[in-house]
Amino acid sequence: TVAQSKLTSDSPVQVVCMSNGITIGYTDEGKQSAPPIIAIHGCPGSHRDWRYVAPLLAPHHRVIRVTMPGFKEVPVTGDYNYDPASWNAALLGLLDHLQVEKAAMLAHSFGGAMLTNLAVTYPERIAGLICLCTPGFEPHRGWREMESSTYYLRAKLLQFTFLKSFFIDRARGWYMKTFPKTADEEIYTSMREVHAAPFSLLGANVQYLPPVLKCFISANDDTFIEPEISKDLADRFVSGCHMVPQYQGIQDKYVLSMSGGHNLFKSRANEIAELVLQYMEELDGLTRKGVVDQAWQWWTQNHKGKPTAKSPPSQVPVSSKL
């Protein structure tokens, strides 16, 4: 059980240029012999987003918190191009750098889009999926404030670096109101990231997640993502598990909605940590009983293909709402 705590963890971030040429930041703390949890932030964000949750998980697990390229002190290097393939390369590079074969992954907001993209492309590296306040199939109100009607035009123009200052100047007012400590480079990175993948691709990924037990947590008072969008995403997020016989009767208890706003990792840190620990204990029990292996065998026999960032499928529809 997690005690109510005001502890924070502000371990110095380690910034490394990995063998693939991409630079990433991370902290590595906790019980090194225990199953690892990789924590991924949203856009904007950093490893510090998890500073209230990490000290509650660390006595029980190895906790690796990520700062993605272009945020805080982490520069963009190598072939990192702010797109789904780049997200995969950064996260896989970190797993390889730390010699972590497989990990449970915890993600917030747009970090959930990065996580689900990795999960459908490299399912063998995913031991568990925990998504917190993740965007859904259609633009949410936080996104609509950023003029989603010009999505495709901006997605094209953002690739031209000579327009970088123009877009930062246009977006700075909204970011300063919403994320007041966001630096200009982080504004640009955030815009590039969220324009790199249409909501239709993010939604399609959610429907093809690997057969691991999943945890989906939303906020019923989220100022960015409407409850209706979260509910729709939650239903699709776990639908794969409902089709996997091994997880029926287990999955539903890990789909929750609570109050606390978009940043539940801060406002409800104790409850989030408690739930993550419960989830990890359940996952360990299922693994020990051979249930996870049985689920993978079933999935391998019945799975009929999936959209991936390696080769985005033409059949994935592009929403007319973008």
Side-chain angles (χ1 to χ4, degrees), residues 251-271:
Q251 180 61 67
D252 285 344
K253 63 182 175 181
Y254 294 106
V255 181
L256 299 97
S257 180
M258 61 179 70
S259 62
H262 190 64
N263 294 332
L264 290 174
F265 53 66
K266 180 178 181 180
S267 63
R268 302 294 292 271
N270 293 287
E271 291 90 339

Side-chain angles (χ1 to χ4, degrees), residues 120-186:
V120 300
T121 318
Y122 297 95
E124 68 278 4
R125 306 302 294 267
I126 306 297
L129 284 160
I130 310 166
C131 283
L132 192 63
C133 300
T134 298
F137 279 64
E138 59 185 270
H140 46 273
R141 56 188 164 215
W143 175 258
R144 292 195 299 272
E145 291 179 13
M146 289 293 290
E147 305 174 59
S148 62
S149 61
T150 59
Y151 174 92
Y152 287 110
L153 177 60
R154 282 182 290 132
K156 294 285 187 183
L157 294 179
L158 275 166
Q159 299 177 44
F160 297 102
T161 55
F162 68 87
L163 292 173
K164 181 176 179 178
S165 296
F166 169 77
F167 280 108
I168 290 174
D169 288 342
R170 285 202 65 196
R172 188 182 289 113
W174 183 86
Y175 274 92
M176 289 302 100
K177 180 181 70 173
T178 312
F179 306 103
K181 296 183 179 180
T182 307
D184 282 358
E185 190 62 35
E186 295 176 287

Side-chain angles (χ1 to χ4, degrees), residues 79-154:
D79 294 328
Y80 192 84
N81 197 37
Y82 309 94
D83 59 7
S86 298
W87 309 338
N88 285 347
L91 294 170
L92 288 174
L94 179 62
L95 290 177
D96 292 341
H97 175 77
L98 297 174
Q99 298 182 323
V100 174
E101 180 181 349
K102 180 181 288 190
M105 298 203 176
L106 166 64
H108 174 251
S109 193
F110 196 77
M114 297 180 177
L115 170 53
T116 55
N117 184 75
L118 179 69
V120 300
T121 318
Y122 297 95
E124 68 278 4
R125 306 302 294 267
I126 306 297
L129 284 160
I130 310 166
C131 283
L132 192 63
C133 300
T134 298
F137 279 64
E138 59 185 270
H140 46 273
R141 56 188 164 215
W143 175 258
R144 292 195 299 272
E145 291 179 13
M146 289 293 290
E147 305 174 59
S148 62
S149 61
T150 59
Y151 174 92
Y152 287 110
L153 177 60
R154 282 182 290 132

Side-chain angles (χ1 to χ4, degrees), residues 41-47 49 67-74 76 82 164 168 171 174-176 179-194:
H41 61 82
C43 291
S46 75
H47 70 283
D49 289 359
T67 296
M68 293 292 285
F71 294 101
K72 299 303 181 187
E73 56 274 272
V74 182
V76 173
Y82 309 94
K164 181 176 179 178
I168 290 174
W174 183 86
Y175 274 92
M176 289 302 100
F179 306 103
K181 296 183 179 180
T182 307
D184 282 358
E185 190 62 35
E186 295 176 287
I187 293 174
Y188 179 72
T189 298
S190 296
M191 294 181 74
R192 289 291 306 269
E193 305 270 40
V194 299

Side-chain angles (χ1 to χ4, degrees), residues 227-242:
E228 299 78 16
I229 291 178
S230 294
K231 174 64 168 61
D232 178 51
L233 182 63
D235 291 342
R236 299 172 191 247
F237 191 85
V238 300
S239 62
C241 271
H242 286 300

